Amino acid sequence: MSGRVTRFEQSATQGPTTVDRIHADEFDDALADVLEGPAVGAPLPFEGVSLPQDVTRNPTPRELRNARIGVTPVGPAVADLGSVVVRSGAEGAEQISLYPDTHVAVLAASDIQPTIADAITEIGARVASGLTSAVLATGPSGTGDMGSVVYGAHGPSSVHVIVLEDR
Amino acid sequence: MSDAEQSTGATRGRSSSRAEKAARIRELLATEGEQIHGNVSVFNEGRYRRYAELDETEEYRAASRRIKEESIDRLPELIEEVTATVEANGGVVHLAEDASEANRILNEIVADAGAETVVKGKSMTTEEIEMNEALADAGVDTYETDLAEYVLQLADESPSHIASPAIHKSKAEIADLFEETFDPEAPLETAEELTAFASDQLADRIAEADVGITGANFITADTGTLALVTNEGNARKCIVTPDTHVAVAGVEKLVPSMEDLSPFFNLIGAAGAGQDVTAYLSLFTPPVETPAIDFEHPDVEGFGEATDREFHLVLLDNGRMAMREDEDLRETLYCVRCGACANSCANFQEVGGHAFGGETYSGGIATGWEAGVHGMDSAAEFNDLCTGCSRCVDACPVNIDIPWINTVVRDRLNEGADPSTFDHLVDGLSPDSESSGIGLGKRLFGNFETLATVGSRTAPVSNLVASSSIARRVLERVAGVDRRRELPQFARSTFSTWFNAREDVTIENPTRRVALYPDVYTEYIDPERGKSTVRVLEALGVDVMVPDVGGSGRAPLSQGMVTTASESAEAVAEALTEPIAADRDVVVIEPSDLAMFKREYERLLPEESFERLAGNSYEVLEYVYGLLEHGADRDAIAGPETAVTDSSNGERAIAYHSHCQQRTLDLEPYTVAVLEAVGYDVVTSDVECCGMAGSFGYKSEYYELSVAVGDRLRDQFTTDDRDERIVVASGTSCGDQLDSLLDRDSKHPIQLLDPVQQ
Ligand code: SF4
């Protein structure tokens, strides 16, 4: 398991993504370290982990657009590429991961799969039982259209993954 | 008007359209060429890097191919299935037969949604049907949100690349455009500033839009899932922000199931731009549960409950179902529009999609798309720019034979062309069985073998006549042979004549027995490389015979003369049957002819006959490599100390340009290995093609493009550390091009190994 986390970390940090490996009981501190400016979030489904008060749940459109940080759960993830899957339902993880400048992605280590094919198999099973939105995201949004590579085109300009090693 | 006047008019028409084409290309070389070259080279190098880095590249390519074949095969069934699935999910499926039906449907959807504005993700399919214009006619404003498309929309220009549509635009041009359009408070200079400015503008457009329209890279029939491969995140926003989403996609985007996506996902970013993976691989199964965001009520909490969303899938036929029935065009439908065939194309790298493209699509595969969706006239505009170099064949993630599609379309264009009044001029020299509307230049080049036979028989007079200034002017006006090009000089005595006239050479206990294929160039123009080959092979203990056999059909095929090429293929296969049956290996000097045997003959010959020939044919240096590996005596052939060709006395350093088709066959390493084994120090070029590409560089409308491509190669061989090196090239036309670009002559590699003083 920790081999897979290491592999994920190596792949993800080859690009501009940052990764923090922690235990669930360290989550509040780890998140506090990266919270800066207004933050919005989708509920975290990991045992013993929850969003602090200063992260706005169920944001209004204005709050969403003004947020600097969006915190969402992600999973599965792909060790080979450092990708994470944003699954979205009514709580709006899709928009929350997409509109703010920084996406803070919270991932359970047990959700890391080796390859894209493995992740797709898992997504496929969830789509069959009603999941309608799953985005395999690797690093921040980017564009080369304006003369050189720029991070943060329409989506976040940085991505920070918090891996819960004991989840 | 008399007949005579008419015919002069016809000829003038032909040569003036050549002049127009040349002018257009000249302009693009000057205005967009550098920008395009810089950008696509990065993509091209990135693809090489990533393809080499991945262990499974070939597996993914094969799997992608298989899935596309199956999908197109089962297309009608998949359309039914996806219709049922999407409707069960709560969406609506519309099948549009052509562009106008699609636009009618789209206008209805937009009107029903009461939309004033629409935001759109990048979609070449909506470009194909000119959707923006159709919506504008109904009073609806459509905003492109992909940053490249946004730039083009502001500039009112068309895409120059199938995957990166604004690739011809420099940062400075974009800055000027924004300056003119928006007059921003602070000047915009850096890419970051430009990106941030554009994203802000578009965030407002997305917030106020009533409908989001996107394309789809794949649609899974079993779940009704749209897969989108993107980097910016704009398509995601267009899908989840407004409450109505419309996806417009060609029917060929259907695949059976979600499980089919992973080989494409693994390869598409790599193929397109050398990315390990694109930033977003999105899988939406609409209508999505994620609530729409109502920016008109910015302070009302919007999440927590799914909103009522509308989803429409517009599946476009527009010629695709007919392409599916067309044995040769069908393969086009496997295309995933990654742009690799454009990025790997030497001609495209210089001029981009504004020359190498039709109404919508650009690059090598555009010939198939344009012929299929817009018709032959659109394909005719740029089809000539594919020289058949085949470099894209290695690049395409679904293994499409892009050069073949170009050849077939060229053949069909030939069929449809009006006969020229000047055809009788070349009739005697062009004994082909093609329809007579082909055009003189094409027939002349396509029948190069006949020309060479006559030219050689009458050399040196034919050489003198052909190079007289009057002859050159006539040749240029009537057949489009550029005056600035040196014509090949025919040899008085052919290679076979030399071989048959020499004293019998008996090799005691030969290690191998070879039938050396006398290609047209070796035979009539450069017999010396044939002689060197014979001496090298014999020195290595091989028994050599030269069969009586004609041209491979490469020349006619390159002009789209498929019937003539097939006849040549049959004749070659027949002539070589006996030597092969007698256990002889077929050795080929000219890479473009070997590529015929190993690639194109698959299309031209019965399977068994193709396999026999392909399986027993070798490029000459590949063959020498094999002999040396199996214990032949390296000292029997020349190395740097002993080679005596005029430019190589004692010189050890070589600059080697492999031939494009040779590289596609993965045969470059053998030449390098052999030259190194005998003691040379070898550096290689890494341009995709020399620019000459057989007859291409002779044509007056393409001469300047050919030279622009060649200049890249020249630059690589004239750097300080390279400009003394012996220039070596495997292909005849590469050699000709290099000779005209450099002030030192090129050699075929076999000549450096020749053990005999000449
Ligand atoms: S033909 Fe192949 S290489 Fe060209 S765009 Fe299509 S998929 Fe890409």
Side-chain angles (χ1 to χ4, degrees):
Chain A
M1 177 58 69
S2 97
R4 217 177 261 182
V5 178
T6 303
R7 173 98 183 98
F8 171 81
E9 181 180 12
Q10 282 167 349
S11 311
T13 53
Q14 294 214 329
T17 302
T18 51
V19 175
D20 194 5
R21 296 165 62 163
I22 58 158
H23 287 100
D25 59 8
E26 302 164 307
F27 178 75
D28 289 349
D29 289 342
L31 185 64
D33 281 348
V34 293
L35 283 187
E36 220 187 77
V40 294
L44 301 174
F46 313 105
E47 198 198 324
V49 171
S50 61
L51 288 175
Q53 281 311 317
D54 49 351
V55 175
T56 309
R57 267 146 291 193
N58 194 10
T60 65
R62 192 189 304 277
E63 285 165 333
L64 181 70
R65 227 180 135 173
N66 291 340
R68 304 271 307 153
I69 293 192
V71 186
T72 76
V74 293
V78 178
D80 273 0
L81 294 165
S83 321
V84 297
V85 174
V86 180
R87 299 199 314 263
S88 184
E91 77 306 328
E94 171 65 359
Q95 290 96 334
I96 290 167
S97 72
L98 186 61
Y99 272 83
D101 302 325
T102 297
H103 176 208
V104 175
V106 187
L107 170 69
S110 58
D111 266 350
I112 301 177
Q113 302 281 359
T115 65
I116 286 193
D118 300 316
I120 299 263
T121 304
E122 194 181 321
I123 296 169
R126 289 175 184 270
V127 168
S129 51
L131 176 68
T132 60
S133 170
V135 174
L136 196 83
T138 311
S141 91
T143 184
D145 289 342
M146 297 288 155
S148 53
V149 174
V150 176
Y151 292 115
H154 292 270
S157 59
S158 67
V159 173
H160 179 69
V161 185
I162 298 178
V163 184
L164 306 170
E165 298 217 62
D166 53 352
R167 290 292 178 271
Chain B
M1 195 189 274
S2 74
D3 280 347
E5 275 165 342
Q6 247 172 7
S7 48
T8 320
T11 313
R12 201 175 288 139
R14 207 181 281 254
S15 64
S16 81
S17 79
R18 266 192 211 114
E20 280 162 22
K21 233 178 213 176
R24 172 89 181 121
I25 286 173
R26 191 176 310 126
E27 187 199 327
L28 287 170
L29 282 170
T31 52
E32 301 184 351
E34 264 324 296
Q35 188 64 29
I36 285 167
H37 187 274
N39 283 331
V40 299
S41 297
V42 174
F43 296 162
N44 200 35
E45 284 155 23
R47 188 196 66 253
Y48 278 118
R49 178 193 58 78
R50 185 60 181 162
Y51 272 17
E53 193 176 272
L54 277 175
D55 293 334
E56 305 87 352
T57 301
E58 290 310 315
E59 261 169 62
Y60 294 147
R61 293 177 81 202
S64 303
R65 170 80 188 193
R66 191 171 22 77
I67 292 161
K68 277 292 182 183
E69 281 179 5
E70 186 200 330
S71 306
I72 298 303
D73 194 43
R74 291 179 46 201
L75 194 50
E77 182 193 324
L78 295 183
I79 294 173
E80 264 180 44
E81 187 182 343
V82 83
T83 306
T85 332
V86 168
E87 295 193 342
N89 290 344
V92 186
V93 178
H94 311 258
L95 208 56
E97 211 171 296
D98 56 20
S100 66
E101 189 177 3
N103 286 325
R104 187 181 51 70
I105 293 167
L106 285 158
N107 263 319
E108 275 170 23
I109 297 170
V110 168
D112 285 350
E116 285 163 26
T117 66
V118 167
V119 281
K120 198 183 123 187
K122 185 170 72 197
S123 149
M124 290 303 284
T125 309
T126 58
E127 298 264 357
E128 173 188 324
I129 59 173
E130 301 184 8
M131 181 194 80
N132 294 10
E133 290 77 359
L135 294 182
D137 289 345
V140 175
D141 289 333
T142 306
Y143 294 97
E144 298 285 352
T145 62
D146 172 80
L147 294 180
E149 290 284 3
Y150 179 59
V151 166
L152 294 183
Q153 189 174 36
L154 293 177
D156 193 20
E157 289 178 21
S158 61
S160 56
H161 188 280
I162 198 168
S164 304
I167 204 159
H168 61 291
K169 285 276 195 219
S170 69
K171 186 162 55 185
E173 285 171 305
I174 297 170
D176 288 348
L177 177 70
F178 283 11
E179 200 68 44
E180 274 168 39
T181 318
F182 300 106
D183 193 17
E185 281 160 30
L188 303 167
E189 277 159 17
T190 64
E192 285 77 11
E193 288 165 353
L194 293 166
T195 303
F197 181 83
S199 301
D200 270 357
Q201 295 281 328
L202 290 168
D204 293 341
R205 300 290 86 76
I206 293 170
E208 72 201 14
D210 309 295
V211 173
I213 299 184
T214 66
N217 294 82
F218 305 92
I219 305 167
T220 61
D222 62 341
T223 56
T225 302
L226 311 176
L228 285 95
V229 180
T230 66
N231 280 303
E232 294 181 357
N234 60 306
R236 291 172 66 188
K237 281 188 172 169
C238 291
I239 290 171
V240 295
T241 308
D243 60 11
T244 301
H245 172 210
V246 185
V248 183
V251 286
E252 83 284 4
K253 299 288 169 66
L254 286 165
V255 293
S257 77
M258 181 93 76
E259 294 288 325
D260 293 318
L261 297 174
S262 62
F264 298 100
F265 278 9
N266 275 303
L267 219 48
I268 201 164
Q275 288 182 283
D276 292 2
V277 62
T278 60
Y280 303 125
L281 298 166
S282 306
L283 296 163
F284 293 111
T285 311
V288 293
E289 197 190 340
T290 310
I293 318 174
D294 183 3
F295 281 100
E296 276 175 24
H297 301 97
D299 296 314
V300 179
E301 288 184 357
F303 296 124
E305 242 176 88
T307 34
D308 221 2
R309 281 178 174 276
E310 233 185 88
F311 171 64
H312 298 265
L313 174 61
V314 180
L315 285 173
L316 179 70
D317 175 351
N318 208 27
R320 288 164 174 78
M321 295 312 261
M323 289 165 82
R324 182 174 170 270
E325 302 295 323
D326 181 321
E327 207 186 310
D328 294 307
L329 288 188
R330 180 182 178 112
E331 228 186 327
T332 308
L333 298 172
Y334 306 161
C335 171
V336 297
R337 300 180 178 181
C338 70
C341 54
N343 304 338
S344 59
C345 171
N347 281 347
F348 188 95
Q349 291 174 358
E350 298 301 324
V351 290
H354 289 157
F356 199 151
E359 282 179 40
T360 306
Y361 299 100
S362 58
I365 195 60
T367 290
W369 280 121
E370 291 292 335
V373 307
H374 288 132
M376 295 302 271
D377 285 351
S378 178
E381 282 299 307
F382 62 96
N383 166 263
D384 274 354
L385 287 173
C386 171
T387 64
C389 85
S390 78
R391 295 304 302 140
C392 53
V393 170
D394 281 352
C396 176
V398 269
N399 284 320
I400 297 177
D401 193 346
I402 300 152
W404 180 254
I405 293 171
N406 278 277
T407 302
V408 169
V409 169
R410 194 166 303 159
D411 187 57
R412 293 181 190 175
L413 286 167
N414 289 342
E415 299 263 323
D418 290 331
S420 152
T421 31
F422 275 75
D423 266 357
H424 64 274
L425 276 185
V426 295
D427 270 349
L429 294 176
S430 344
D432 56 61
S433 21
E434 307 291 329
S435 64
S436 54
I438 273 179
L440 294 177
K442 285 200 164 134
R443 291 186 73 194
L444 196 70
F445 290 120
N447 290 290
F448 186 75
E449 187 181 359
T450 318
L451 195 67
T453 320
V454 176
S456 166
R457 213 181 292 135
T458 54
V461 177
S462 54
N463 292 329
L464 288 174
V465 171
S467 56
S468 79
S469 63
I470 295 178
R472 292 310 302 264
R473 279 207 296 274
V474 173
L475 216 49
E476 180 170 289
R477 191 169 59 85
V478 175
V481 180
D482 199 281
R483 242 183 287 182
R484 291 162 287 187
R485 265 293 168 210
E486 220 173 283
L487 293 178
Q489 297 280 304
F490 299 112
R492 180 73 190 99
S493 172
T494 67
F495 167 59
S496 316
T497 310
W498 169 83
F499 186 84
N500 295 328
R502 74 187 191 137
E503 273 174 40
D504 268 351
V505 175
T506 315
I507 306 289
E508 298 291 341
N509 303 319
T511 49
R512 308 286 303 181
R513 288 149 47 78
V514 157
L516 177 59
Y517 176 68
D519 64 86
V520 173
Y521 285 93
T522 302
E523 183 71 358
Y524 298 107
I525 293 167
D526 189 7
E528 292 310 316
R529 65 183 196 176
K531 297 176 191 174
S532 293
T533 302
V534 172
R535 290 190 286 256
V536 167
L537 292 177
E538 288 180 347
L540 295 172
V542 173
D543 176 89
V544 181
M545 62 85 75
V546 176
D548 182 12
V549 51
S552 70
R554 168 61 71 191
L557 194 76
S558 73
Q559 309 305 314
M561 296 157 69
V562 177
T563 313
T564 311
S566 299
E567 288 161 5
S568 299
E570 280 154 25
V572 168
E574 197 185 315
L576 294 176
T577 300
E578 203 183 292
I580 292 173
D583 258 352
R584 285 187 184 270
D585 303 318
V586 177
V587 169
V588 183
I589 301 171
E590 181 59 39
S592 61
D593 291 312
L594 181 74
M596 285 293 280
F597 294 2
K598 288 198 169 284
R599 276 181 32 81
E600 281 85 358
Y601 276 15
E602 190 172 4
R603 312 271 185 173
L604 306 176
L605 291 175
E607 193 180 331
E608 195 190 328
S609 163
F610 160 69
E611 273 169 9
R612 185 180 333 112
L613 185 51
N616 287 289
S617 298
Y618 305 87
E619 192 268 337
V620 57
L621 271 282
E622 174 195 19
Y623 199 73
V624 170
Y625 175 89
L627 293 169
L628 294 177
E629 283 290 290
H630 287 92
D633 180 9
R634 212 185 65 193
D635 293 333
I637 54 175
E641 313 310 328
T642 44
V644 287
T645 51
D646 43 0
S647 61
S648 67
N649 294 323
E651 179 60 67
R652 300 168 41 82
I654 283 180
Y656 173 55
H657 174 67
S658 177
H659 181 278
C660 45
Q661 288 157 342
Q662 179 186 5
R663 290 177 64 201
T664 299
L665 295 172
D666 293 327
L667 295 175
E668 174 178 12
Y670 297 110
T671 303
V672 175
V674 170
L675 292 172
E676 286 178 346
V678 300
Y680 285 102
D681 169 50
V682 184
V683 296
T684 57
S685 66
D686 65 4
V687 295
E688 297 293 358
C689 177
C690 70
M692 191 67 156
S695 62
F696 183 78
Y698 286 97
K699 296 180 178 171
S700 58
E701 63 272 46
Y702 305 124
Y703 172 78
E704 281 154 86
L705 173 53
S706 162
V707 171
V709 172
D711 279 346
R712 307 272 174 196
L713 174 56
R714 189 198 53 199
D715 290 348
Q716 294 196 348
F717 282 1
T718 50
T719 53
D720 282 349
D721 53 332
R722 291 187 172 186
D723 66 358
E724 299 284 311
R725 287 177 175 260
I726 308 164
V727 177
V728 178
S730 296
T732 310
S733 52
C734 323
D736 289 346
Q737 176 83 316
L738 281 162
D739 289 348
S740 72
L741 294 167
L742 299 172
D743 44 23
R744 53 204 205 276
D745 278 349
S746 66
K747 299 276 160 211
H748 188 280
I750 199 72
Q751 292 175 283
L752 297 181
L753 307 176
D754 190 343
V756 176
Q757 297 254 353
Q758 289 161 49

